Amino acid sequence: MIRNFFSRLLYGRYGSDALGLFLVSAGLVLWLISQFVPIAWLSTVLWAIGYAAMLWSIFRMFSRNYAARRRENDRFTALIEPLMQGFRRTRNQMRDRDHVYFRCPNCGARLRVPKGKNRISVTCRSCGHVFQKKT
C-alpha cells in the first residue's frame, strides 16, 4: 500500500540528476559548516543557503516540467565538465605507473612515454617537434 502511494506520487516527475545531487551535497556541506562557525550571523546565513539548496533540489525532483529541468541540468553539466575532465585526467595519470606524462615544449600537447627508459628522443604527434626527455 505504501509502495503504491510512492509510485503514484512520483509518477510523471523529473527525478534526480547531476544538478540535484550537487544541490543536496552542497546543502549538507553548508549545514555541517554552519554548525562549526563561531559567528552567529554567518552560521545562520550558511544554514539558510544550505536549506534553500535542499529545497530547490526537492522542488526539481518533484517537478513535472521536464524541459526546464533538463535545460538547467545541461547548463550545469556544461559548466562542470571541464573541471571533471581535468579531475579524470589527473586521476588516470596518477593510476598509470608505467608511463610519464608531460607537455611538448613547442605546442603544449600532452605526451605519454614509458617510464624507466632514461634519456629518450620524443617526437610530438601534434607538431612534429623532436626533443630529448629524461623519464
Side-chain angles (χ1 to χ4, degrees):
M1 183 161 162
I2 293 175
R3 187 171 137 184
N4 289 335
F5 170 76
F6 283 116
S7 295
R8 281 184 273 123
L9 177 69
L10 296 176
Y11 182 77
R13 309 296 177 158
Y14 184 69
S16 178
D17 60 5
L19 177 57
L21 293 175
F22 173 77
L23 288 171
V24 168
S25 302
L28 289 173
V29 167
L30 287 172
W31 278 355
L32 282 172
I33 291 173
S34 72
Q35 298 300 314
F36 299 106
V37 173
I39 304 169
W41 67 269
L42 183 58
S43 175
T44 305
V45 168
L46 290 175
W47 180 85
I49 293 171
Y51 191 71
M54 297 290 282
L55 286 177
W56 182 249
S57 174
I58 291 170
F59 168 77
R60 292 184 79 256
M61 286 174 64
F62 285 101
S63 173
R64 291 182 187 239
N65 190 350
Y66 278 84
R69 303 296 82 83
R70 191 174 298 123
R71 275 194 309 270
E72 291 169 354
N73 191 52
D74 289 344
R75 277 187 252 136
F76 174 73
T77 53
L79 180 72
I80 202 83
E81 187 58 31
L83 296 172
M84 293 305 294
Q85 283 180 350
F87 173 74
R88 281 188 225 110
R89 183 182 319 120
T90 303
R91 184 188 64 200
N92 290 339
Q93 288 177 6
M94 290 174 65
R95 288 181 179 173
D96 187 6
R97 301 197 187 274
D98 299 331
H99 297 90
V100 176
Y101 293 84
F102 56 90
R103 292 190 175 272
C104 172
N106 192 34
C107 68
R110 269 189 208 281
L111 302 172
R112 181 181 86 151
V113 296
K115 244 184 201 177
K117 299 289 184 183
N118 289 334
R119 196 154 197 86
I120 60 173
S121 179
V122 180
T123 303
C124 178
R125 290 183 172 209
S126 298
C127 65
H129 181 67
V130 180
F131 58 96
Q132 298 288 320
K133 189 69 179 175
K134 183 181 180 211
T135 62

